[in-house]
Amino acid sequence: MKLTGNTIVVTGGSSGIGKELVERFLALGNKVVTCGRRKERLAQLRARFPDLSVFTCDVSDEAQRKAFAEWVGVSHPAANVLVNNAGVQLVMDFTRPLDLGRVRSEVETNFIAPLHFASLFASILAKKEGAAIVNISSGLAFSPLAFMPVYCATKAAIHSFTLSLRRQMRDLGIMVYEIAPPAVDSELGRERWPKGQSSHGGMPVPEFVAAMLKALEADLPEAAIGQAEGMRAKREGLFEAMNH
Ligand SMILES: NC(=O)c1ccc[n+]([C@@H]2O[C@H](COP(=O)([O-])OP(=O)(O)OC[C@H]3O[C@@H](n4cnc5c(N)ncnc54)[C@H](OP(=O)(O)O)[C@@H]3O)[C@@H](O)[C@H]2O)c1
């Protein structure tokens, strides 16, 4: 994938990987559009980067996804790259009564939103030079952690969906990439960390994003970064060791 001269839509740019992607893509000479729920975070980012376009949007809501895609189509018709990055990670205990609302919200954010965006953006991206969709899965797509079962299942679904999407988008000239991150030291799942803890020892966000951009530039359709590479290679064989 060409890393400069694009108009790139990154979902979930208000923190972590998405925020770093926004900054790196801008620095590389791209136009960048991003969205998230936290309006003040997006406003802070825009204050630092006046060329950045931001849109407040909850991607777990169908109407808001449509509104975002429509707005991009009108305001940024040159958009040629979509990065499906926004995601949440919830702990769930299936031995207790289940809160289906939490399940639906995680599945809607991590799985339904990326696939809906792929279809909403297909006509915007189609036949453009350098057209691409980048889906963010996880090493946990291949070797799940049992205390976050739905999260891992959504990422496994993203992996499978990406294989099919790549085939379907071929005739529209849209390249489809999958990036599987390892544990990255972002804000993901931070709400369950002990008070005062600011890192879980994962890969630093800038290091991960540098590796991700290198993989995209090398045009690898699917890249597992850092420890995710071993998880992808060993798959469920790692399950016992990881959940010991
Ligand atoms: N960090 C890791 O260890 C790791 C490993 C593998 C894969 N990943 C994946 O990497 C992606 C980015 O996560 P991250 O690590 O950068 O976590 P993060 O720091 O928590 O960032 C998540 C981003 O997604 C946005 N988001 C979440 N729910 C949203 C919603 N309903 N509507 C709109 N935006 C929403 C958040 O914005 P708002 O809160 O402002 O809405 C935020 O900008 C996710 O898909 C995650 O699953 C992360």
Side-chain angles (χ1 to χ4, degrees), residues 86-140:
V88 289
Q89 185 181 74
L90 304 180
V91 169
M92 284 183 205
D93 179 355
F94 278 73
T95 66
R96 293 164 184 270
L98 192 61
D99 178 351
L100 268 180
R102 290 180 82 231
V103 175
R104 288 201 179 97
S105 142
E106 187 169 35
V107 172
E108 192 85 31
T109 305
N110 292 2
F111 182 55
I112 310 279
L115 68 87
H116 191 198
F117 277 139
S119 102
L120 289 170
F121 278 89
S123 59
I124 301 175
L125 271 47
K127 308 284 184 197
K128 295 224 174 91
E129 196 201 329
I133 296 174
V134 182
N135 288 336
I136 310 287
S137 62
S138 170
L140 297 176

Side-chain angles (χ1 to χ4, degrees), residues 12 14-15 17 37-38 58-59 85 151 155 182 184 186-187:
S14 52
S15 67
I17 293 168
R37 290 165 301 180
R38 287 171 290 179
D58 181 344
V59 304
N85 165 75
Y151 176 80
K155 293 302 182 175
V184 176
S186 65
E187 295 182 14

